[in-house]
Amino acid sequence: SPLNIEIATDGFATITEFLQGPCRGNIYAIVHTPLLEAINSIVRGSHVKYDGVLYPREYHDQSRELKAEVVTTLIALMEGSSVEDTFVAQALIRSLDLNAMLEYAIAQYKDWQSLREEQRKAKLDLDDRKLESMNKSIINTGFKYYIMLRSLSDYESEPAPGSVFFKLEDRSIP
């Protein structure tokens, strides 16, 4: 909801701090909570149109910041994973909506492309610090989701046709 998006963003930043180190006890505890389902809900939501109301660009930017913090939390969860200890990676593969994550990564790339084209047509200074920062934020968030999926794919030996990991190997994805 637009009323608590900043609180959720701060909450995920705090959770990330508890996980980093990595702190295996905290990582295992988080995997056993409903947090992963909350992450699915956040990633699946467009957060542009909520309850039939179209929100301004600022809310769209806050939504992206929340999703960036969510993927940072997921990356922190993976810090303790290894070839010998696949528990967390397997739990994430089973629990997360990997298709929604891939769709979001692709959407961020397309948004970045579209925005850059609009900026070029408007003859804006693409080196302007504020504009450059916004553009980097968009593309970096998409890349973080892609990197997260790539990391998880290391724990899936035989990706099934049609699975997210199979799609990652498809070079036709934009």
Side-chain angles (χ1 to χ4, degrees):
S1 144
L3 300 175
N4 57 21
I5 197 166
E6 289 179 37
I7 294 169
T9 303
D10 290 345
F12 276 99
T14 301
I15 291 168
T16 300
E17 290 296 323
F18 285 126
L19 299 173
Q20 290 180 326
C23 181
R24 291 186 195 275
N26 289 348
I27 289 171
Y28 288 133
I30 289 291
V31 169
H32 288 97
T33 69
L35 183 70
L36 297 179
E37 190 51 45
I39 287 172
N40 284 334
S41 178
I42 291 166
V43 173
R44 287 181 194 133
S46 72
H47 298 285
V48 175
K49 194 171 185 181
Y50 186 81
D51 290 339
V53 177
L54 187 60
Y55 286 92
R57 178 78 191 175
E58 178 184 272
Y59 179 69
H60 186 67
D61 293 341
Q62 288 176 329
S63 172
R64 186 182 56 257
E65 289 172 19
L66 172 59
K67 290 181 181 188
E69 200 59 57
V70 162
V71 76
T72 301
T73 299
L74 290 172
I75 290 168
L77 278 168
M78 286 292 294
E79 281 183 355
S81 293
S82 66
V83 178
E84 298 83 31
D85 184 4
T86 65
F87 175 78
V88 173
Q90 292 300 323
L92 295 179
I93 289 169
R94 282 189 312 275
S95 302
L96 294 174
D97 186 341
L98 303 176
N99 283 305
M101 290 174 64
L102 180 58
E103 288 171 18
Y104 184 72
I106 293 168
Q108 286 300 107
Y109 175 72
K110 288 179 178 179
D111 284 353
W112 175 79
Q113 271 187 323
S114 173
L115 191 60
R116 294 286 287 192
E117 187 57 34
E118 288 173 21
Q119 292 165 351
R120 279 190 199 96
K121 285 180 182 176
K123 299 188 187 312
L124 297 177
D125 178 9
L126 299 179
D127 293 325
D128 175 75
R129 280 188 168 170
K130 189 171 184 176
L131 193 60
E132 184 180 16
S133 174
M134 180 181 69
N135 290 336
K136 281 183 180 178
S137 174
I138 293 169
I139 199 68
N140 286 345
T141 300
F143 276 133
K144 280 184 176 181
Y145 275 88
Y146 181 78
I147 290 165
M148 181 65 200
L149 290 168
R150 275 290 187 195
S151 296
L152 288 173
S153 73
D154 291 343
Y155 296 90
E156 190 75 13
S157 57
E158 295 284 328
S163 75
V164 166
F165 302 126
F166 190 80
K167 291 176 191 174
L168 284 173
E169 297 303 320
D170 180 2
R171 303 292 182 231
S172 67
I173 292 177

